[in-house]
Amino acid sequence: MQEKNWGTNAINTWCPGCGNFAILNSIKSVLKSLVADNILAENIVLVSGIGCGAKIVDYINANSVYSIHGRVLPVAEGIKLANPQMKVIGLAGDGDTYGEGMEHLVFAAKRNIDITMIVHNNRVYGLTTGQYTPTSPLGYKGRSTPQGSKETPINPLEIMLASGASFISRGTSTTMELLKKLMREAIMHKGFALVDILQVCVTFFNMYEYYNKNVYELAGHDPADYGKAMQRIREWNYSNTDAKIPLGVFYKKEIPTFEEYYLHLGKETERSQKIHKILENTI
């Protein structure tokens, strides 16, 4: 069988040095590994929103849907409920997800629907030339805040833990091997999974030096411990302080998913088996 080509002929419009390239190469590698493990490519669908990061679906040869700004998760949830066998992966920026889409994010976590949300968190609206987002630090100077943002950033991982997400992780665009590991583990997790990626926008918020200096990978952390997860999540609050930035899986728990409650899959399977038996006996 010929190996699937995950690339496309679309012209890439990202700036040279953009962190999105690392995310693109990582997710293509992960998709390839999933298919190698007998997950059908036609059972994988990518959903993106609006923004620089959202253009990633133009560059991946996979089933994909463009949604409107902030509405990645409603579309992804609809796909999952219509066909629970699908691996549904959302890809969107921090403004798209933590700004316009925050309510949907909270409810997806609360429901524990089996979807993976990958956030390209460059902490700035890059496509619209540099406005601040919910995770921009206090004092960020951009097109909408030339005197510096007067708002403290949110910690999206803390919000996700409080909302009931069953898989919470963070990576960066500068640590690709860890990023691939986190993406794959999130996709294979049964339930709602978030991968927050500290992705650098070289044009409007170049944080390469800051991240390279401050990030470290979690070691000896028990992701099943809710209290410990909250402690590690709060080590860095998305302010540009000298605090070290932990990367890895903060929290992971196996609990029933929304579609299991909503669709009564066990009954459907039993019903399907009865139908097949009737057909076998009559045809």
Side-chain angles (χ1 to χ4, degrees):
M1 180 182 295
Q2 187 174 7
E3 186 173 288
K4 179 180 175 61
N5 178 10
W6 291 97
T8 72
N9 294 324
I11 297 173
N12 195 305
T13 59
W14 290 333
C15 301
C18 176
N20 280 324
F21 286 104
I23 299 174
L24 172 63
N25 292 328
S26 296
I27 190 67
K28 285 164 68 176
S29 175
V30 171
L31 294 176
K32 182 179 178 181
S33 74
L34 295 177
V35 171
D37 289 343
N38 297 319
I39 293 176
L40 298 176
E42 53 265 39
N43 283 349
I44 299 171
V45 61
L46 311 178
V47 183
S48 75
I50 300 297
C52 288
K55 291 191 287 186
I56 193 170
V57 298
D58 284 341
Y59 312 135
I60 302 175
N61 180 20
N63 296 317
S64 61
V65 179
Y66 264 116
S67 66
I68 58 176
H69 211 189
R71 303 297 181 264
V72 169
L73 282 165
V75 174
E77 291 188 40
I79 294 170
K80 187 66 182 180
L81 292 177
N83 187 347
Q85 305 307 315
M86 299 293 284
K87 289 286 186 189
V88 185
I89 305 166
L91 296 136
D94 47 309
D96 208 342
T97 310
Y98 302 143
E100 289 86 349
M102 177 54 86
E103 182 181 352
H104 299 299
L105 185 69
V106 167
F107 274 82
K110 175 175 173 287
R111 291 169 179 144
N112 194 38
I113 189 165
D114 186 18
I115 287 171
T116 300
M117 190 67 205
I118 296 173
V119 182
H120 304 225
N121 188 359
N122 58 17
R123 307 168 69 202
V124 68
Y125 282 97
L127 188 66
T128 50
T129 68
Q131 295 81 6
Y132 80 104
T133 75
T135 53
S136 299
L138 179 68
Y140 168 79
K141 293 183 178 179
R143 295 289 293 273
S144 60
T145 53
Q147 303 303 317
S149 169
K150 309 302 182 189
E151 301 178 17
T152 55
I154 64 167
N155 184 332
L157 304 192
E158 187 174 344
I159 293 172
M160 286 293 89
L161 187 62
S163 300
S166 57
F167 184 100
I168 301 170
S169 65
R170 180 196 291 135
T172 73
S173 57
T174 57
T175 55
M176 277 187 61
E177 289 309 310
L178 175 61
L179 193 55
K180 286 187 278 188
K181 180 182 172 185
L182 295 176
M183 285 180 172
R184 181 181 168 87
E185 190 172 347
I187 293 168
M188 297 307 293
H189 173 72
K190 183 182 174 185
F192 184 76
L194 178 83
V195 184
D196 181 67
I197 303 173
L198 299 176
Q199 170 254 325
V200 176
C201 173
V202 293
T203 304
F204 296 106
F205 199 33
N206 191 337
M207 299 294 290
Y208 275 116
E209 183 177 349
Y210 175 74
Y211 291 146
N212 287 337
K213 177 183 174 184
N214 289 290
V215 297
Y216 77 97
E217 187 173 345
L218 287 170
H221 170 63
D222 178 8
D225 188 321
Y226 184 98
K228 294 291 184 184
M230 184 62 87
Q231 286 180 13
R232 304 311 292 264
I233 284 171
R234 287 177 170 171
E235 285 183 17
W236 182 64
N237 62 4
Y238 290 75
S239 296
N240 284 0
T241 63
D242 291 333
K244 293 299 179 184
I245 305 171
L247 306 176
V249 178
F250 293 86
Y251 187 68
K252 183 177 181 180
K253 186 175 185 179
E254 294 288 342
I255 54 178
T257 64
F258 181 68
E259 56 273 25
E260 287 176 330
Y261 284 126
Y262 189 78
L263 298 175
H264 307 290
L265 292 179
K267 291 181 181 178
E268 288 295 315
T269 300
E270 183 181 351
R271 179 173 178 270
S272 298
Q273 290 173 345
K274 289 180 178 178
I275 292 173
H276 281 296
K277 190 172 183 179
I278 292 171
L279 292 174
E280 289 173 359
N281 293 334
T282 55
I283 297 177

